[in-house]
Amino acid sequence: MSILKQHRCPSRSLTHIPTSPRLHLVARLTCSATTTTTKPKSSQNQLVIEPRLETKPDSITPIIPSVGPPLSNDPSLQSTWSHRAWVASGCTTLFFSLAKTVTGAADTHMWFEPIVAGYVGYVLADLLSGVYHWGIDNYGDATTPIFGSQIEGFQGHHKWPWTITRRQFANNLHALARSITLTVLPIEILCNDPVIQGFVTVCAGCIMFSQQFHAWSHGTKSRLPPLVVALQDAGVLVSRSQHSAHHRPPYNSNYCIVSGVCNEFLDKNKVFEALEMIIFFKLEVRPRSWSEPGAEWIEEMDEAQSQVTVH
């Protein structure tokens, strides 16, 4: 008769298996030992390891959100009541300025001078839009006082230019509308000269709506209103083909976004290059256009537009 006696498995050291912070190795150990007084067996101890991978949240490595273009329903593209109020204020200011111009011209029987003044304001607005666009494209960053958010926005616009077509109307214009209201309203109250009023009305109106002209220059012809397409083809508004040159390397031309009428003169005579040289020698500040374009300048395709549905 054999006598069976149960023994506990002696403790064995296991080789340490390193694990990553995200994966943990869970092992189940099964030990059995049987001893007889009559006949020992060679395989008395059996060690079974059954690994199982268990995932746990990593509390060490932070999750970095991916940076990409705003979605179509992103709040940054939506208009708020504050935006709409400023745009309404700007449009009202321009309307009364125009009415005052017409009334003054009618009372003095002087029409030619206000019309010429308005045309000068139209050309000057295009020039100012180009100077401003050149400045924020080449100097400063998101931390720049006052203009930081606009600089960041225009630089992001180079990477995802098509997002401007998804901005709602008041969202796109409210900042300029606020500036126009605060600037034009005092002039409207204090000045009665129809020539000055004509100049101010057209110049301020083109500046206020310049961002909408800019958005239309990124739109496709089939989706734009026919009147807008006709004005672009006539050169009254900046055209799609002209502004698209600004978004191609070396990204240092065609800055004007009202009509683009000043672009040829500015680029042909290297006006902005001369200004860059003056700023560099006076302040030792290099413009971004002197460096090789980085990733922030390379346009990414609009995936929503590039997807083709196959039926």
Side-chain angles (χ1 to χ4, degrees):
M1 181 179 69
S2 63
I3 301 174
L4 300 178
K5 186 177 181 181
Q6 293 294 115
H7 293 277
R8 290 184 178 179
C9 178
S11 62
R12 296 175 178 268
S13 61
L14 299 178
T15 304
H16 175 68
I17 303 176
T19 61
S20 67
R22 295 181 182 274
L23 300 177
H24 301 269
L25 184 63
V26 180
R28 187 179 70 185
L29 305 180
T30 304
C31 301
S32 64
T34 305
T35 307
T36 63
T37 57
T38 57
K39 186 178 180 180
K41 295 182 179 180
S42 59
S43 60
Q44 294 178 349
N45 302 327
Q46 295 180 351
L47 181 62
V48 180
I49 300 178
E50 295 181 0
R52 184 175 76 252
L53 295 179
E54 180 180 341
T55 60
K56 292 184 179 181
D58 186 0
S59 59
I60 301 176
T61 306
I63 298 175
I64 301 175
S66 59
V67 179
L71 301 176
S72 57
N73 59 347
D74 193 290
S76 65
L77 303 180
Q78 309 298 314
S79 296
T80 65
W81 286 109
S82 175
H83 296 165
R84 297 184 182 98
W86 277 117
V87 171
S89 175
C91 290
T92 303
T93 301
L94 291 174
F95 174 79
F96 280 108
S97 181
L98 177 62
K100 197 170 184 179
T101 302
V102 174
T103 303
D107 291 342
T108 59
H109 303 285
M110 183 173 58
W111 296 97
F112 180 75
E113 290 85 349
I115 292 175
V116 172
Y119 179 76
V120 173
Y122 164 76
V123 175
L124 181 62
D126 188 58
L127 175 62
L128 293 176
S129 73
V131 172
Y132 182 79
H133 192 177
W134 162 77
I136 62 177
D137 264 10
N138 286 281
Y139 300 99
D141 54 28
T143 62
T144 301
I146 302 175
F147 301 101
S149 60
Q150 299 173 53
I151 293 171
E152 184 180 25
F154 265 78
Q155 291 177 6
H157 170 69
H158 275 272
K159 193 172 184 66
W160 306 298
W162 36 268
T163 58
I164 194 173
T165 64
R166 298 180 181 178
R167 286 190 179 276
Q168 293 185 352
F169 180 77
N171 179 286
N172 201 23
L173 300 185
H174 74 278
L176 289 171
R178 179 171 59 244
S179 300
I180 292 303
T181 300
L182 300 176
T183 304
V184 175
L185 192 57
I187 299 175
E188 180 182 333
I189 295 173
L190 299 175
C191 180
N192 295 316
D193 189 332
V195 176
I196 296 177
Q197 287 288 346
F199 169 81
V200 170
T201 301
V202 176
C203 184
C206 289
I207 290 175
M208 175 173 154
F209 287 97
S210 62
Q211 273 295 81
Q212 188 57 48
F213 303 156
H214 185 194
W216 284 334
S217 71
H218 285 282
T220 56
K221 189 173 183 178
S222 59
R223 296 186 177 184
L224 293 176
L227 177 60
V228 172
V229 176
L231 292 174
Q232 288 179 339
D233 293 341
V236 177
L237 300 181
V238 62
S239 65
R240 301 175 305 280
S241 59
Q242 187 181 69
H243 186 66
S244 64
H246 176 70
H247 288 270
R248 293 194 295 267
Y251 309 102
N252 61 355
S253 63
N254 293 276
Y255 287 105
C256 301
I257 56 175
V258 172
S259 64
V261 68
C262 296
N263 279 327
E264 183 177 359
F265 173 83
L266 295 172
D267 295 339
K268 184 177 180 180
N269 293 280
K270 302 185 183 300
V271 174
F272 290 126
E273 293 184 19
L275 292 176
E276 291 166 359
M277 293 295 293
I278 294 173
I279 293 174
F280 177 74
F281 284 117
K282 293 290 186 181
L283 304 177
E284 297 184 352
V285 178
R286 294 171 58 90
R288 270 183 286 272
S289 61
W290 289 8
S291 305
E292 287 296 325
E296 68 275 9
W297 289 92
I298 301 175
E299 179 180 348
E300 291 186 2
M301 297 299 296
D302 183 2
E303 295 181 359
Q305 295 292 337
S306 60
Q307 291 177 351
V308 179
T309 304
V310 180
H311 300 281

